């Protein structure tokens, strides 16, 4: 055994095997694939060599026949899957990445199944792919392709989002009325409203700050302007804050539920990545 390993090591050195693998890795469609390329060992038997050549020949036949395997770039989601298995809360982009992987798994499995008679060795690999269609559907129902939580993810989130939007429209209308009022013409530094500490405020000239009952949230760098939350807007701002906190809680619940679902399928997901 030692002599055999020594011969393989010498062969790898003489063939500049590491340089060959690096060239191969540069053609991989994913970082996971590139990593696997760099770990390929020289075949230790004639049977192993023939099997590898047959797999390669099948792939070449697909490429030359304009039937290329649908192998798009896909993210290295291993650490994400492992965190989910430990009960971690994943963020929306993490879940979007899992959807990308599962979409590719389904495409590859479907393709190999349709061409199984032409590529029997590759199809043998493909039979172990698990597309986890229910998990992908659950993710896609809640997360968009850009990695954001969809307003329509749950009826509760939709209702809360619309409530917050309605409250914001109401407070903006009140603010625009204040800005247009002759009563505030000489008090305001400029005719606009802003947000400070996630609350709506108006810019008041510092010398007139006592004329606007409310809460001061900020002062401009020059000290000439104070940003005041008018007293009659405090309740509305409070309601908006409550609605936004409720949205955050529901979004977190959605992410945790999807993370838990992922965690239950960690071995299948890791297996899919390995096969891809």
């Amino acid at each position: 055994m030692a002599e055999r390993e020594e011969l393989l090591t010498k062969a790898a050195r003489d063939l500049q095997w590491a340089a060959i693998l690096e060239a191969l890795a540069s053609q991989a469609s994913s970082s996971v694939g590139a990593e696997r390329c760099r770990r390929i060992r020289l075949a230790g038997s004639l049977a192993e060599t023939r099997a590898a050549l047959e797999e390669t020949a099948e792939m070449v036949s697909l490429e030359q026949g304009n039937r290329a395997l649908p192998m798009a770039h896909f993210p290295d989601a291993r650490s994400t899957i492992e965190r989910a298995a430990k009960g971690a809360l994943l963020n929306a982009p993490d879940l979007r990445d899992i959807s990308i992987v599962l979409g590719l798994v389904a495409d590859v499995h479907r393709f190999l199944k349709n061409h199984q008679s032409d590529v029997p060795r590759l199809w043998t690999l493909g039979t172990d792919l698990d597309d986890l269609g229910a998990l992908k559907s659950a993710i896609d129902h809640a997360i968009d392709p850009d990695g954001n939580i969809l307003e329509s993810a749950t009826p509760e989130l939709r209702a809360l989002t619309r409530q917050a939007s309605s409250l914001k429209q109401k407070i903006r209308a009140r603010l625009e009325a204040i800005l247009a009022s002759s009563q505030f013409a000489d008090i305001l530094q400029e005719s606009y409203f802003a947000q400070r500490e996630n609350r709506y405020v108006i810019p008041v000239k510092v010398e007139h700050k006592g004329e606007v009952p409310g809460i001061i949230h900020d002062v401009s760098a020059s000290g000439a302007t104070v940003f005041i939350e008018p007293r009659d807007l405090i309740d509305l701002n409070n309601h908006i804050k409550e609605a936004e906190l409720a949205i955050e809680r529901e979004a977190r619940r959605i992410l945790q539920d999807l993370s838990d679902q992922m965690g239950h399928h960690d071995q299948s997901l890791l297996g899919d990545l390995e096969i891809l």
Side-chain angles (χ1 to χ4, degrees):
M1 179 66 78
E3 183 178 354
R4 180 171 174 276
E5 287 298 321
E6 186 177 336
L7 285 172
L8 285 174
T9 299
K10 183 177 184 303
R13 183 174 59 249
D14 292 345
L15 289 169
Q16 296 187 324
W17 189 241
I20 293 171
L21 295 185
E22 193 58 45
L24 180 65
S26 71
Q27 302 301 312
S29 61
S30 69
S31 60
V32 188
E35 181 184 303
R36 281 295 303 274
C37 288
R38 295 185 181 97
R39 295 207 313 264
I40 295 175
R41 290 172 57 86
L42 279 174
S45 68
L46 185 58
E48 188 181 347
T49 301
R50 283 175 173 160
L53 286 173
E54 287 171 9
E55 287 180 354
T56 304
E58 288 181 3
M59 190 69 81
V60 170
S61 73
L62 292 176
E63 294 285 345
Q64 292 180 341
N66 294 319
R67 298 174 296 168
L69 197 66
M71 282 300 296
H73 171 77
F74 60 95
D76 182 357
R78 289 173 296 182
S79 64
T80 298
I81 296 166
E82 289 164 358
R83 286 191 289 116
K86 295 176 181 177
L89 174 69
L90 303 179
N91 60 33
D94 286 337
L95 291 160
R96 181 270 321 274
D97 286 351
I98 296 301
S99 175
I100 290 172
V101 170
L102 290 177
L104 185 57
V105 166
D107 290 344
V108 170
H109 186 273
R110 188 182 310 110
F111 178 91
L112 292 176
K113 185 176 182 179
N114 291 338
H115 297 89
Q116 57 184 291
S117 60
D118 300 323
V119 289
R121 283 196 173 272
L122 295 179
W123 169 237
T124 298
L125 289 174
T127 56
D128 289 329
L129 286 169
D130 188 349
D131 65 11
L132 299 172
L135 175 60
K136 177 172 171 52
S137 294
I139 294 173
D140 292 346
H141 180 74
I143 310 295
D144 71 17
D146 294 322
N148 302 304
I149 298 179
L150 290 165
E151 177 185 322
S152 58
T154 63
E156 293 80 7
L157 184 61
R158 183 189 292 110
L160 289 168
T161 303
R162 290 178 178 176
Q163 178 189 359
S165 178
S166 175
L167 288 169
K168 288 176 182 178
Q169 288 178 1
K170 187 174 182 180
I171 199 170
R172 285 169 181 160
R174 295 273 292 276
L175 285 162
E176 286 169 0
I178 290 173
L179 297 178
S181 170
S182 59
Q183 175 187 350
F184 288 87
D186 297 325
I187 295 175
L188 296 177
Q189 187 68 265
E190 292 183 59
S191 184
Y192 72 92
F193 60 85
Q195 280 187 295
R196 291 295 187 274
E197 301 173 344
N198 293 319
R199 298 179 76 87
Y200 287 89
V201 296
I202 55 175
V204 177
K205 295 175 182 177
V206 66
E207 61 269 24
H208 293 286
K209 65 181 181 181
E211 299 174 40
V212 181
I215 300 171
I216 295 176
H217 285 278
D218 197 9
V219 180
S220 66
S222 66
T225 306
V226 292
F227 295 91
I228 297 177
E229 176 186 3
R231 182 185 297 163
D232 61 348
L233 297 185
I234 290 176
D235 282 347
L236 258 179
N237 267 321
N238 286 344
H239 292 323
I240 290 172
K241 182 64 176 178
E242 289 170 3
E244 289 177 339
L245 289 173
I247 289 171
E248 289 177 13
R249 286 194 299 272
E250 178 62 9
R252 183 181 179 86
R253 189 196 65 76
I254 292 167
L255 294 176
Q256 188 65 67
D257 177 59
L258 292 172
S259 301
D260 292 343
Q261 290 186 50
M262 262 191 59
H264 293 148
H265 295 289
D266 61 318
Q267 293 307 306
S268 290
L269 288 165
L270 291 171
D272 281 347
L273 282 174
E274 185 72 9
I275 293 168
L276 287 179

